[in-house]
Amino acid sequence: MNTPLVALQKPKDISLSQIEAELSSIWLSQNIGNGKTTAIATRAATFSMVVYEPEEFQQLLGTLGFYAGSIDGIHGTATRDAIKEAQKQYDLPITGRVDPDTLTKLREEFAKLPASKQTISNLDARGFSISETIAAQNPCRIITLCPTLGEDTGVTAQVSAYCPIQKKHEEGLVCCEYITLRGTKAALERVGNIVSSLMIPDLPKFVWWKATPNPEQELFKQLSSCSNCVIVDSSYFSDPESELLKMQDLIEEETYIADLNWHRLSPWQELTASAFDPPERRTSLVEIDNITLDYEKGNAAQALMFLGWFASRLEWKPLSFVDQGGDYELKHIRFMGPNDKEILAELAAIPTADYGEIPGDLVGLRLTSGNPNANCCTILCSETTGCMRMEAGGSAQSCRTEQVIAATDQKAESLMAQQLQRWGRDVLYEESLGLTAQILKLQ
């Protein structure tokens, strides 16, 4: 279908009536021969979703001359190569990932540019990349907010429809409506009321916040207050420890949160649970007094959430949190078990030669006991790293060692499609995050 662009000169922003008028023109066919018009497709009927898609670093890389691809939010080879080139240019550790230091440096270099150079010519492809994974099974309305850099020239709207499914035994299409709003952060803040009004009444409403969430940001507050579920991905939090605490605060305020990174832990949780399914091992769970978690250096969210899950299941109460730092950024947490046994947990950030696509993926887990007769020693390792470090930990016990097979597709878009099928409250996640928050507050 056509994708009409509605653009207004500054300082005037797009209006709700203009967007609705464009949608109406899309959904009506031309004259069908009897002087009447008719709807040619089924409009949004399952849910509305607002996607906040900043992709600031791609814009910064493009403006500074490191990246020539589209602004699309896809962290592929071209994007990683551009990040490495920038890190090399600015004498930063070359990882191919935008860590806080890299992002700060990019922002500083951008700020040095004259206003006339703070523009980007890269194609802005945000707002359409999720059609295949999310819209393919649902007639829905997706409103994408695309913050832009540079001068505030108001907000523009691109309105379109995507129709992937032909109804069986019927004429017409099952389609999704796409509304893509572009403008500076300040400009998008101004149209927050319009964005809320575009969410269809009486249908489930989601907000996918593809950035570090800021509960103090007016736009975030407004959108989260009118949605059934706010969806985040903690693998891209710039400061996971403080951001996980913010997520806990939102849950306590009865905002329903779903973290896509939590779902990436499922294979580790399932294999850990199955390791203690045999009755003779189940009774040895209380003997565990040491847990070691290794994760890819760069983001501790998965390790912290897994520890929160495991400790909450065994009713461990956190006593202390010591951030020892060093090359492995060691974190030591002490717990008290229900049998008054003290437990020590260690989290270690492992440098890897080839970083995976998801920052902070778990790479190893070891559960042991000071009791040499306990039947609880368990080692789990990812497919890519092997178990060398875990097995070198030393133990007189006979350890059960297994390899964790990651889910076939851990990308955010695929996990989002699954999340939309099970968007009810996740009590297990909330309990686990609650204990993780208790740990973090001990710092």
Side-chain angles (χ1 to χ4, degrees), residues 363-393:
V363 296
L365 162 70
R366 183 174 64 236
L367 302 168
T368 58
S369 172
N371 176 4
N373 298 316
N375 182 21
C376 64
C377 186
T378 303
I379 296 174
L380 305 181
C381 298
S382 69
E383 300 171 90
T384 54
T385 61
C387 287
M388 186 176 298
R389 194 181 108 83
M390 289 300 176
E391 291 171 339

Side-chain angles (χ1 to χ4, degrees), residues 41-42 121 133 180 422:
T42 299
S121 58
T133 52
T180 305
R422 54 182 183 197

Side-chain angles (χ1 to χ4, degrees), residues 86-95 99 101-103 105:
Q87 290 169 331
K88 180 180 178 181
Q89 175 74 25
Y90 301 134
D91 294 323
L92 296 167
I94 300 174
T95 64
D99 51 57
D101 290 341
T102 301
L103 186 56
K105 183 62 177 177

Side-chain angles (χ1 to χ4, degrees), residues 207 209 211-216 220 224 229-235 237 239-262 301 305 429-434 436-437 440-441:
V207 173
W209 196 264
T212 298
N214 180 7
E216 301 305 313
F220 181 88
S224 61
C229 178
V230 177
I231 301 162
V232 299
D233 188 342
S234 62
S235 72
F237 284 0
D239 183 359
E241 294 179 25
S242 65
E243 308 307 335
L244 289 174
L245 286 174
K246 290 179 183 177
M247 296 303 95
Q248 177 62 22
D249 290 343
L250 287 167
I251 289 174
E252 290 177 359
E253 294 168 5
E254 299 187 350
T255 299
Y256 170 48
I257 299 291
D259 185 349
L260 300 180
N261 208 26
W262 166 255
M305 288 194 294
Y429 166 69
E430 293 183 2
E431 290 178 352
S432 302
L433 182 62
T436 300
L440 294 172
K441 289 176 181 178

Side-chain angles (χ1 to χ4, degrees), residues 283-337:
T283 56
S284 297
L285 270 171
V286 295
E287 298 289 344
I288 295 172
D289 56 23
N290 192 286
I291 174 172
T292 302
L293 284 162
D294 287 356
Y295 61 95
E296 280 191 10
K297 195 170 188 176
N299 186 300
Q302 282 194 21
L304 287 166
M305 288 194 294
F306 184 94
L307 181 60
W309 168 75
F310 194 78
S312 67
R313 296 307 90 194
L314 296 185
E315 299 181 346
W316 294 351
K317 298 186 183 304
L319 301 176
S320 67
F321 184 120
V322 179
D323 197 336
Q324 294 194 326
D327 291 340
Y328 288 91
E329 299 175 4
L330 293 178
K331 297 174 174 58
H332 286 164
I333 301 99
R334 288 190 308 115
F335 297 90
M336 183 64 70

